Amino acid sequence: MTRITLPDGSVREFAAPPTVHEVAASIGPGLAKAALAGRVNGTLVDTSHRIESDAQLAIVTDRDPDGLDVIRHSTAHLLAYAVKELFPDAQVTIGPVIDNGFYYDFSYKRPFTPEALGALEKKRGELAGKDEPVTREVWQRDDAVKFFESIGERYKAEIIASIPAGEPIGLYREGAFVDLCRGPHVPSTGRLKVFKLMKLAGAYWRGDSKNEMLQRIYGTAWARKEDQDAYLHMLEEAEKRDHRRLAKELDLFHTQDEAPGMVFWHPKGWTIWQQVEQYMRDVYRLSGYRDVKCPQILDRTLWEQSGHWENYKDHMFTTASENRDYAVKPMNCPGHIQVFKPDLRSNRDLPLRHGEFRSCHRNEPSGALHGIMRVRGFVQDDGHIFCTEDQILDECVKYTELLHAVYRDFGFTDILYKVATRPARRVGADELWDKAEHALMESLRRSGVAFTIAPGDGAFYGPKIEYTLKDALGRHWQCGTMQVDFNMPHRLGAEYVAEDNTRRHPVMLHRAIVGSLERFIGILIENHAGAFPAWLAPVQAVVASITEAQAPYARDVAQALKKQGFRVQCDLRNEKIAYKIREHSLQKVPYLLVVGEKERQAGQVAVRVRGGVDLGPMPVDAFSRRLAEDVAQRKS
């Protein structure tokens, strides 16, 4: 008798070991039809999987996030099936699930074209319409290698040959197509009806530029058409909001090949930068941080002591002088420890908070660079807290509260929390990692927020909380971090005098709220679609004259507002006012102040709000109070 425990705690007994499908059928025909896979004792399996002993089972349907992954993975395989049908000489390599879809890499003698994508989409739909069963087979490794070599699939043969001898090899068959995969997959191709092929790209085999350049086909797949339609609409909106496109339209910044991964800020873009930086500096100052400045280049020996040379060297720019090796700093932490060390600190001096807004450089791969979202030269709102072990929890709780307030001011209220735990490659004793991970998780519990765990995603020197915000399109952006580090202060010799007069190493909390200012500004551009709230807008108001007769008055109004600290421009061109209004609307200026003869004589301005709302004439003082209120309250 096999006992199967379901998620609601109920138990079903079977005379012989049942398959996942048989358990679903025993519950009801509707569930049997909806089942895509099963989770047996936490492991995802096919519906054909036979449960040989007592177990816990959850039936996975398309309502389950795992079910959507199964659909997407199966759709990737169906794409490969379609490619082999239309292009028999193409070789299949790998096809994983990614956010919102999948891709599959192929080796083929001719480049795929957009027309080929259309043909593949049609063929893929035909194959789904056949509703062919998807079945799993287990082969011996050497037999599988010989099989794929015999059909000319050398990439699959290479992958299988790299698997240790004796391990069973899972192959999936659907119609005439056989592919290597650990699964699971949907029961039949008829479950894969909502899909779209998105784009073509290049990718090196195994990510190595020394290998062949493969052709990558990206696609998306969903359980329901309305979900896919919503996703495609979101992509259209995202394209309109692309920060690179808006930067050109609004004259904010540019990048160029002579400085890959570096940003050329134009006046309006730099104004936005200054607003963000000054805001964050005020946050730091009011939260007890002291601003410091450390060298851009530090000797290799310091990076070796900190552990960066061994664990991070490939991402560092290096240089040499007078037979000494140096690295351009990719982060500020080792420098901040040097600022801590010269004075002998007491436990009464802790927590000690240092902040720095200075350039860092990381040698990111050129293919990963993306506008100002992924760059090589950047500035962080970088802060480090030196504290005792007993102070960790309170500092982490305070930091989460501070982060909430900052994100709220920038217009983000939906935040996700994740604790990234110890990676395989790390420094320090497990006992210290236990303490650090516990402190981070407990701080989030005390902050009253739910969080998930990301096993193995911590930094080499300590675990971290990742704070992810959700933008206006529902996209997720990981920005803030809080890292607990017992190791680096010890490695670099930082000490304080404890209450019992012994010398101890402080705990170092690495934290950033917005992270890279470049990336955060890119997120702001896309979140607001370039229409920044008045407190961030590079130009808060434009004073536009209707005729030349009002030009002196327009200049006086603009000057009066500038003296109050507002960012105001004049438009005195000999153009029709409708033209001026349209142009400044396209530039997404929050307020347009029109002055004609009536306004000049009355000492007023006719106020138009971005979006076309006409507030009518009002005294200049009344408008300045309105704008001051917008700025003070940071209205979005």
Side-chain angles (χ1 to χ4, degrees):
M1 191 70 68
T2 304
R3 293 169 54 87
I4 305 298
T5 304
L6 301 173
D8 63 0
S10 63
V11 176
R12 289 181 177 263
E13 296 184 342
F14 297 85
T19 65
V20 171
H21 175 77
E22 288 168 348
V23 177
S26 75
I27 298 172
L31 184 60
K33 183 177 180 181
L36 296 173
R39 201 180 295 105
V40 177
N41 294 330
T43 300
L44 209 57
V45 298
D46 299 293
T47 58
S48 61
H49 174 81
R50 193 165 295 281
I51 307 170
E52 299 291 350
S53 60
D54 294 356
Q56 294 183 332
L57 170 66
I59 305 298
V60 175
T61 70
D62 62 25
R63 303 284 180 182
D64 190 305
D66 284 339
L68 196 51
D69 281 351
V70 171
I71 287 174
R72 287 171 176 162
H73 196 179
S74 300
T75 304
H77 280 241
L78 196 60
L79 166 62
Y81 186 1
V83 168
K84 293 297 290 184
E85 289 281 296
L86 294 182
F87 307 97
D89 293 338
Q91 293 188 61
V92 297
T93 63
I94 58 171
V97 172
I98 57 175
D99 287 346
N100 299 309
F102 60 88
Y103 69 77
Y104 216 116
D105 289 345
F106 301 93
S107 172
Y108 190 51
K109 56 192 175 185
R110 295 193 304 274
F112 291 132
T113 63
E115 291 74 23
L117 284 190
L120 285 170
E121 223 171 49
K122 182 179 179 182
K123 173 57 69 174
R124 206 202 132 307
E126 292 172 2
L127 295 174
K130 290 182 178 181
D131 197 23
E132 294 177 314
V134 181
T135 58
R136 184 174 189 269
E137 303 172 6
V138 179
W139 291 40
Q140 293 298 313
R141 186 192 69 172
D142 292 346
D143 292 339
V145 170
K146 291 177 182 177
F147 168 74
F148 281 103
E149 286 178 340
S150 72
I151 61 174
E153 295 288 355
R154 64 182 180 88
Y155 287 97
K156 288 294 181 185
E158 180 182 328
I159 295 170
I160 297 170
S162 68
I163 298 173
E167 286 195 18
I169 305 300
L171 302 183
Y172 281 82
R173 187 183 299 273
E174 46 196 285
F177 181 67
V178 180
D179 203 356
L180 166 71
C181 191
R182 64 173 175 263
H185 285 287
V186 296
S188 68
T189 61
R191 309 297 293 272
L192 309 173
K193 294 181 179 178
V194 183
F195 65 92
K196 184 173 180 59
L197 301 185
M198 304 296 292
K199 64 179 180 179
L200 295 164
Y204 291 110
W205 170 237
R206 296 192 182 277
D208 188 338
S209 60
K210 297 176 183 178
N211 292 335
E212 179 188 354
M213 173 68 80
L214 305 174
Q215 298 186 65
R216 177 169 293 178
I217 299 178
Y218 285 94
T220 190
W222 300 81
R224 286 167 288 280
K225 186 176 185 301
E226 56 267 30
D227 293 337
Q228 179 167 285
D229 289 345
Y231 172 67
L232 296 176
H233 176 70
M234 185 275 288
L235 290 183
E236 291 177 7
E237 288 298 310
E239 185 176 355
K240 295 176 187 175
R241 293 167 179 255
D242 188 299
H243 72 286
R244 296 165 298 179
R245 174 180 174 178
L246 288 169
K248 187 173 183 179
E249 293 175 1
L250 304 178
D251 191 25
L252 303 178
F253 65 84
H254 81 275
T255 60
Q256 61 189 59
D257 289 343
E258 289 80 2
M262 314 292 180
V263 186
F264 293 82
W265 290 98
H266 298 195
K268 290 203 292 185
W270 190 241
T271 298
I272 298 170
W273 170 287
Q274 290 175 316
Q275 300 312 306
V276 174
E277 180 181 343
Q278 190 54 56
Y279 170 88
M280 292 308 303
R281 284 186 179 278
D282 289 343
V283 167
Y284 274 39
R285 178 176 53 81
L286 295 172
S287 302
Y289 289 82
R290 298 190 294 177
D291 197 24
V292 299
K293 182 179 184 296
C294 298
Q296 287 293 113
I297 299 175
L298 296 169
D299 189 279
R300 167 179 175 167
T301 56
L302 185 64
W303 297 110
E304 288 176 336
Q305 292 171 9
S306 70
H308 287 90
W309 196 266
E310 178 185 356
N311 294 279
Y312 205 76
K313 181 178 180 294
D314 290 344
H315 298 286
M316 298 165 72
F317 287 102
T318 58
T319 186
S321 176
E322 298 180 337
N323 297 317
R324 293 178 67 180
D325 293 329
Y326 298 88
V328 181
K329 66 176 180 179
M331 63 275 295
N332 296 302
C333 24
H336 287 194
I337 292 178
Q338 306 315 304
V339 175
F340 178 90
K341 285 172 61 177
D343 295 328
L344 185 59
R345 314 283 182 177
S346 160
N347 66 293
R348 292 186 295 274
D349 297 322
L350 305 183
L352 184 66
R353 304 180 181 93
H354 287 161
E356 182 170 3
F357 292 80
R358 304 294 186 277
S359 293
C360 294
H361 292 80
R362 296 180 185 175
N363 192 11
E364 299 284 358
S366 59
L369 302 178
H370 178 70
I372 59 174
M373 297 292 203
R374 188 79 175 265
V375 291
R376 288 175 171 169
F378 61 94
V379 173
Q380 287 182 305
D381 65 313
D382 208 0
H384 294 92
I385 303 170
F386 297 91
C387 64
T388 68
E389 188 175 326
D390 292 340
Q391 292 169 332
I392 296 174
L393 202 52
D394 285 343
E395 289 298 315
C396 289
V397 172
K398 290 176 186 176
Y399 171 74
T400 297
E401 182 180 354
L402 177 64
L403 179 138
H404 288 165
V406 171
Y407 283 177
R408 187 167 53 246
D409 281 348
F410 282 111
F412 302 105
T413 56
D414 199 345
I415 306 170
L416 305 177
Y417 309 84
K418 183 185 296 182
V419 177
T421 59
R422 68 197 74 183
R425 188 175 180 180
R426 61 183 182 270
V427 297
D430 283 346
E431 177 187 358
L432 297 179
W433 281 87
D434 290 340
K435 290 180 179 179
E437 290 171 356
H438 172 76
L440 291 178
M441 294 180 196
E442 183 60 26
S443 75
L444 290 178
R445 293 187 188 101
R446 292 196 184 184
S447 296
V449 299
F451 61 90
T452 58
I453 305 295
D457 283 353
F460 71 87
Y461 50 80
K464 60 183 176 179
I465 301 173
E466 295 180 346
Y467 299 85
T468 299
L469 52 85
K470 186 184 291 187
D471 72 6
L473 295 182
R475 297 172 300 177
H476 293 166
W477 304 95
Q478 193 269 306
C479 292
T481 58
M482 165 60 82
Q483 302 169 332
V484 176
D485 181 3
F486 283 90
N487 296 298
M488 205 176 300
H490 179 265
R491 293 171 71 97
L492 294 180
E495 293 182 332
Y496 72 95
V497 178
E499 195 170 357
D500 60 1
N501 288 323
T502 61
R503 294 199 176 190
R504 299 183 186 177
H505 301 294
V507 180
M508 188 178 189
L509 307 183
H510 309 245
R511 30 72 64 244
I513 296 178
V514 302
S516 159
L517 267 68
E518 285 81 358
R519 180 170 179 268
F520 190 69
I521 290 171
I523 293 168
L524 288 173
I525 291 171
E526 296 198 2
N527 183 62
H528 294 291
F532 290 98
W535 75 280
L536 280 175
V539 178
Q540 295 171 320
V542 171
V543 184
S545 59
I546 294 179
T547 70
E548 288 185 9
Q550 296 89 45
Y553 175 65
R555 289 193 194 95
D556 290 345
V557 170
Q559 190 62 26
L561 292 171
K562 287 179 182 179
K563 286 181 178 180
Q564 296 178 59
F566 299 123
R567 299 184 291 278
V568 180
Q569 291 182 352
C570 260
D571 188 346
L572 309 178
R573 293 174 298 168
N574 185 24
E575 299 283 358
K576 292 183 178 180
I577 192 63
Y579 176 86
K580 295 180 181 181
I581 290 172
R582 181 178 183 277
E583 186 172 278
H584 296 300
S585 296
L586 290 175
Q587 287 295 300
K588 305 180 187 292
V589 176
Y591 288 102
L592 182 61
L593 312 181
V594 178
V595 292
E597 193 56 28
K598 286 194 304 183
E599 287 78 21
R600 185 187 70 79
Q601 291 183 8
Q604 295 181 328
V605 289
V607 181
R608 295 178 66 91
V609 182
R610 181 174 55 207
V613 178
D614 189 348
L615 299 183
M618 64 177 67
V620 177
D621 287 348
F623 169 74
S624 67
R625 288 194 296 271
R626 178 188 178 93
L627 181 52
E629 181 182 346
D630 284 357
V631 172
Q633 296 183 4
R634 298 190 174 91
K635 291 182 178 178
S636 297

